[in-house]
Every structure is written in structure tokens, then in C-alpha cells.
Amino acid sequence: MNNTTTTRKVAIVGYNRIPFARANTAYSNVGNQDMMVAALNGLIDKYHLQEKLLGEVAGGAVIKHTYDNNLIRECVMKTALDPATPACDLQQACDTGIESAVYIANKIALGQIDCGIAGGVDSISDIPMAMSENLRKILLEARQAKSLGGRIKSFLKIRPKDLVPLVPRNEESQTGLSMGGHTEVTAKYYKISREDQDQFALRSHLNMAKAYDEGFFDDMITPFNGLEKDNNLRKDSTMEKLAKLNPAFDKVNGTLTAGNSTPLSDGASCILLASEEWAKEQGLPILAYITFAEIAAIEYVKKQQNLLLAPLFAASRMLEKAGLNLQDFDYYEIHEAFAAQTLATLKIWESPELSTELGLKKTLGAIDREKLNVKGSSLAAAHPFAATGGRIIGVMAKLLNEKGSGRGLVSICAAGGQGVTMIIEK
């Protein structure tokens, strides 16, 4: 690349997803490819992309079977796109969807491609389970045996305990704690009360229920496998109902429950990105622009309360580069992995002492919470890991397009003490 290369503006042209479903419910009989293809074909139909050769499709899944190898390319081949459209898999835990958007956006900005799709999918219902190490060795030995007698001899070594499958554990390998376990530490450390968490969760459900009633999601979701809307949404949720739920992680002194935490879930989402020129040539709308993005990581092994707080550093660096203050936004979309994690983020932003203790350069200050997750977020919609980024970017782009102008901040935390933020403008 030569030094005269200039960057191009990156437009968000379209979005689509399938309804998100709690694990082992509506999508218990489908997998990653089925869901991703449905989300992609919904986008293709909506924006008349049949037989189009796009620059690239990027995305991924956090939970994958071996048959999901080369997942996104396999999905593209099953859609109505030109089969010559290239694709690649990316994975960065819960940041996967938004990092895929950054990947495609950077290629458009540098002139390498004119358009592309970013997305993500995850199925907890179709979770891969491994065999025990002893069973694996016996099967390998039997396969290598040179006679039927040799194979039988190997099989006779199998014991009942060898047949118990190894179910993947939802925990950080560095600490042995689950995300919920870490967030219990966060809630205690930053003194986030159970009542505040429940109130925050209730607001998410009520905001999303209202958005559905008003038709906000009508052009954003493709029905799939008999589901027309997110089945985690609780329109009739109340503080009284939430208060009756038992702690989910720390059974004795915990404040995190099934009501103020996101459930394990299934789903897929995608967004269409392009240069202004390509969008205009195709007669497609320009909903908003991606203008800045930042990724950060944080130490969380010694300081276990930090696991989901990396977006604080990403936001701080991004705002400095953009020359903006935290208050210079019309909307904020902060991923609600847990109510406690989002509330801790807001508390640290507002507190000079906590900001300094965490290591931030400065206190960013309070935001207008009426501008936060105004259509509900992950606590209501649920959180299929890699699919959340596309859902949030799509909501932000539509909010700004409907307003006609403005600026939005997107923030997503992820396993491994990582986080990504983005600025979207109209």
C-alpha cells in the first residue's frame, strides 16, 4: 500500500437477525449453520443482494463443532449470494460480532473492498461434547488394530465411566470462575445492590417490550423455526417477580440471578457495510457511519472484579482519539451481560476515585441514562455470544437513521478480560 492511500467513509447499509432463543427451546434442533444462513438470507432478501458478488463476509461463533470448520464460508455457499463471495471466520468471545464489523469496515475504509457483511452466531443448544481421554485412546487403538479380534480386545477395555461425555464448562481457564462468578466479585467490590440490578433488568425488558409493541423490530428480524420474537423477553416482568429468584452463582451471599443475568441462548445476526459510492450505486440507504472503534484488554486474574471492565479502557482511548466527551452522544448501547457489570461500568465512569483506582487517565463522568439501551438490550433479548454485536450495531444504526442525525456509542465486554467500543454517527 502506498502513502497516498486515503481512507473512505464506512456506511452501515443494512441489518438483519433471527429472533434470539433461550437454549434448548425453539432452536434445539438446529445448529450454527442453519441459524447463520437464515440471518444472511434475510439480509439478502431485504436488500436485494441475490447473486451479488460482495467483497467479503466475516463472522464466527464462540461455540463450534468440528463440522463448523470454515463456518462462514460454508454458510455463504448456502445463501443466495454469488458463491464466489469470499468469507472468513473470526472469534473474540462476545466481541466476535463487533470485531467482525471492524474487520470489514477497515477493508472498506482502505479501499480493499467496496462492501461486505459482518455477523455472528452461537448455539448453546447444539453444544459440542468431548469424549473422555481414556475412551479416545481405546477407540484410536481399536482403529489401528489389524484384526477383528484386536478391535474387540480394545473395546473390552471400555468402562462405564469412560462413556460419560465431557461437557464444556463456562469458565475462565485462568481463574476457574465463570463469568457470573467473576461478576459476583464485581458486584460485591463495587457495592452494586440486588435491588439496583433487578431494577436495571426490569427496565431492559420493559423497553424492549415497548419497542416490539411500537414495531421498531419489524424490519430487523427474520422469523425462524417458528419463532417471531426473542423468547427470553418478559413483558410481564415486575420487581416483585424478580425479587423471588434465587442467587444463581453465589448461592449464599450472591446478588446475581437468572433475572438480572443473560441466559445461555441461541441466535444469529448480521450487518451490511459498504462505501458510500457502492451504496448509492445499488440504490441502498445509508443508515449511519462507523467512525471509530477501539479494542482493549485488562488484567483480571489477580483482580477478579475486572473481568468484564475492559470496555472502560477502550472507551477512554477511543474518546481521546475522537476528541469527544462521554456526554457527546445521543444514544448509548452497552451490552448487558449482567446488570451488575453494566452498573459497575456506569459507577466507575462517574467516580474519580474508582476511575483512578482502575487505572483510567481521567474520569469520563455520568451519562444521561434515559439515552442508554432505549430499546432494551441483552438482558431482555438474551445473548448468543457472537450474535450480540450485530444486534447492537443494527439497533444503533436504526436509532440514528430515524432521528436523522446524531452520534451513538457502542460497548461490548467479553471473556478473557477484553472489550470493544465503537462510535456510530449519522
Side-chain angles (χ1 to χ4, degrees):
M1 188 177 299
N2 60 56
N3 293 329
T4 61
T5 300
T6 58
T7 58
R8 301 187 297 179
K9 295 176 72 175
V10 179
I12 301 172
V13 176
Y15 42 70
N16 191 60
R17 69 179 176 94
I18 59 173
F20 291 172
R22 295 174 71 94
N24 301 310
T25 60
Y27 302 157
S28 61
N29 63 334
V30 298
N32 286 332
Q33 289 194 33
D34 300 306
M35 292 189 293
M36 193 72 242
V37 169
L40 287 169
N41 274 332
L43 184 79
I44 292 164
D45 290 344
K46 189 184 303 182
Y47 298 100
H48 309 295
L49 302 176
Q50 292 86 351
E51 307 302 324
K52 294 282 187 184
L53 176 61
L54 303 188
E56 191 168 1
V57 179
V62 178
I63 309 295
K64 295 172 69 173
H65 285 274
T66 54
Y67 54 69
D68 281 331
N69 183 43
N70 209 16
L71 172 65
I72 302 302
R73 172 60 178 158
E74 292 296 326
C75 291
V76 167
M77 293 288 287
K78 294 178 180 179
T79 70
L81 289 174
D82 185 323
T85 299
C88 74
D89 281 22
L90 301 173
Q91 203 265 58
Q92 196 181 72
C94 305
D95 289 343
T96 298
I98 191 169
E99 275 290 274
S100 298
V102 172
Y103 171 86
I104 293 294
N106 284 340
K107 285 199 167 188
I108 293 170
L110 292 174
Q112 295 173 353
I113 61 175
D114 293 319
C115 60
I117 295 173
V121 58
D122 260 299
S123 172
I124 299 300
S125 298
D126 189 31
I127 194 166
M129 290 185 284
M131 67 181 72
S132 68
E133 180 63 14
N134 196 46
L135 180 59
R136 186 188 72 81
K137 290 179 178 178
I138 291 171
L139 293 177
L140 182 60
E141 179 185 286
R143 183 180 180 184
Q144 294 174 338
K146 299 188 180 301
S147 67
L148 176 60
R151 287 193 288 273
I152 292 173
K153 185 178 179 181
S154 297
F155 291 143
L156 288 174
K157 296 178 183 179
I158 297 174
R159 298 294 179 264
K161 66 179 182 179
D162 297 329
L163 301 176
V164 178
L166 302 178
V167 180
R169 300 177 66 179
N170 182 23
E171 63 182 32
E172 295 291 327
S173 62
Q174 298 291 319
T175 64
L177 285 177
S178 66
M179 277 195 186
H182 273 280
T183 308
E184 280 285 13
V185 180
T186 302
K188 291 179 175 67
Y189 189 89
Y190 290 105
K191 298 180 174 60
I192 309 296
S193 72
R194 164 74 183 269
E195 182 178 5
D196 285 347
Q197 293 175 57
D198 286 350
Q199 187 66 57
F200 190 82
L202 177 63
R203 177 179 180 271
S204 185
H205 282 275
L206 296 181
N207 280 356
M208 182 160 282
K210 182 182 178 189
Y212 265 110
D213 288 345
E214 293 173 347
F216 181 83
F217 297 113
D218 287 355
D219 68 345
M220 302 185 75
I221 297 177
T222 297
F224 178 65
N225 220 41
L227 200 61
E228 296 186 353
K229 64 174 59 176
D230 309 305
N231 72 5
N232 183 62
L233 177 63
R234 297 292 179 263
K235 189 174 183 177
D236 60 349
S237 185
T238 65
M239 284 294 287
E240 291 73 24
K241 291 180 179 179
L242 289 169
K244 293 178 181 178
L245 298 174
N246 293 323
F249 301 99
D250 180 346
K251 305 294 185 181
V252 178
N253 299 308
T255 57
L256 274 69
T257 71
N260 57 42
S261 308
T262 51
L264 295 174
S265 47
D266 310 327
S269 69
C270 52
I271 58 171
L272 177 62
L273 304 176
S275 67
E276 288 182 298
E277 296 77 12
W278 188 88
K280 290 175 181 177
E281 287 172 3
Q282 303 299 318
L284 294 174
I286 293 177
L287 306 174
Y289 297 93
I290 295 174
T291 54
F292 289 88
E294 188 79 20
I295 183 73
I298 192 171
E299 197 290 316
Y300 68 92
V301 178
K302 296 177 181 177
K303 298 181 179 179
Q304 296 182 353
Q305 71 273 11
N306 286 350
L307 178 68
L308 300 181
L309 300 182
L312 287 157
F313 288 90
S316 182
R317 296 168 192 166
M318 182 178 69
L319 292 171
E320 184 176 3
K321 291 176 182 178
L324 295 170
N325 295 313
L326 184 60
Q327 295 71 34
D328 296 338
F329 293 87
D330 298 274
Y331 300 106
Y332 304 84
E333 282 290 327
I334 300 178
H335 165 46
E336 304 164 346
F338 304 90
Q341 149 260 323
T342 311
L343 290 169
T345 295
L346 299 175
K347 191 169 187 177
I348 295 166
W349 274 343
E350 296 170 5
S351 168
E353 294 78 16
L354 294 178
S355 294
T356 299
E357 178 189 321
L358 190 64
L360 297 175
K361 286 184 178 180
K362 66 176 184 178
T363 307
L364 296 184
I367 66 169
D368 181 351
R369 296 197 186 188
E370 292 301 310
K371 299 178 180 179
L372 171 64
N373 298 349
V374 297
K375 302 300 181 182
S377 193
S378 306
L379 286 167
H383 172 41
F385 306 128
T388 288
R391 179 188 66 77
I392 286 179
I393 292 173
V395 168
M396 181 62 79
K398 182 168 184 178
L399 284 170
L400 294 172
N401 186 56
E402 288 188 343
K403 185 176 182 294
S405 64
R407 182 183 294 124
L409 183 145
V410 168
S411 171
I412 299 181
C413 57
Q418 299 194 96
V420 62
T421 56
M422 178 180 283
I423 295 174
I424 298 174
E425 301 185 63
K426 176 73 174 179

